[in-house]
Amino acid sequence: QVQLVESGGGLVQPGGSLRLSCAASGSIVSINAMGWYRQAPEKRRELVAVITSGGSTDFAASVKGRFTIFRDDAKSTVYLQMNSLKPEDTAVYYCNVQKRGFQFWGQGTQATVSS
């Protein structure tokens, strides 16, 4: 089992920045990838960004150039740096870990972009 604890959500004005953190604990050996998904009201959950164990990254088209994903292996933590935020980025953001064919999810953290 992998436990995930997210932090860093909040309210920010359009054009602002937020950094989300996700700390993993438990059986964290052999994690294949860590990433972030988001779900806006009445919309399906969507992939935002992912980073593999080899360091490769991928982003949703809507956030490319604005969001960055990186990790600190010593802290077993993955971060999502969100810049130039737009109202349409408002959602609950979920941390995700993929390990040996299984997926683990965090509890979610709300990010709201509004003036």
Side-chain angles (χ1 to χ4, degrees):
Q1 290 287 346
V2 177
Q3 293 79 45
L4 303 172
V5 178
E6 300 136 332
S7 60
L11 173 64
V12 65
Q13 293 186 341
S17 298
L18 283 174
R19 178 178 290 186
L20 307 183
S21 301
C22 173
S25 62
S27 181
I28 60 175
V29 177
S30 300
I31 286 177
N32 301 112
M34 300 182 76
W36 291 91
Y37 286 70
R38 67 185 180 187
Q39 187 166 17
E42 301 182 358
K43 291 190 176 181
R44 299 180 66 177
R45 190 173 296 190
E46 62 175 357
L47 174 67
V48 177
V50 62
I51 182 167
T52 69
S53 57
S56 298
T57 59
D58 196 16
F59 298 88
S62 60
V63 307
K64 278 183 179 178
R66 301 188 297 121
F67 291 11
T68 303
I69 187 169
F70 58 99
R71 64 175 195 245
D72 183 336
D73 290 338
K75 296 181 179 180
S76 300
T77 299
V78 63
Y79 302 90
L80 184 68
Q81 178 66 43
M82 305 189 293
N83 298 329
S84 302
L85 283 162
K86 304 175 181 180
E88 50 264 43
D89 295 317
T90 295
V92 178
Y93 285 73
Y94 295 92
C95 181
N96 171 271
V97 161
Q98 299 174 38
K99 174 182 173 178
R100 293 179 177 174
F102 293 92
Q103 293 199 69
F104 301 90
W105 295 92
Q107 80 283 359
T109 185
Q110 176 72 44
T112 302
V113 185
S114 175
S115 55

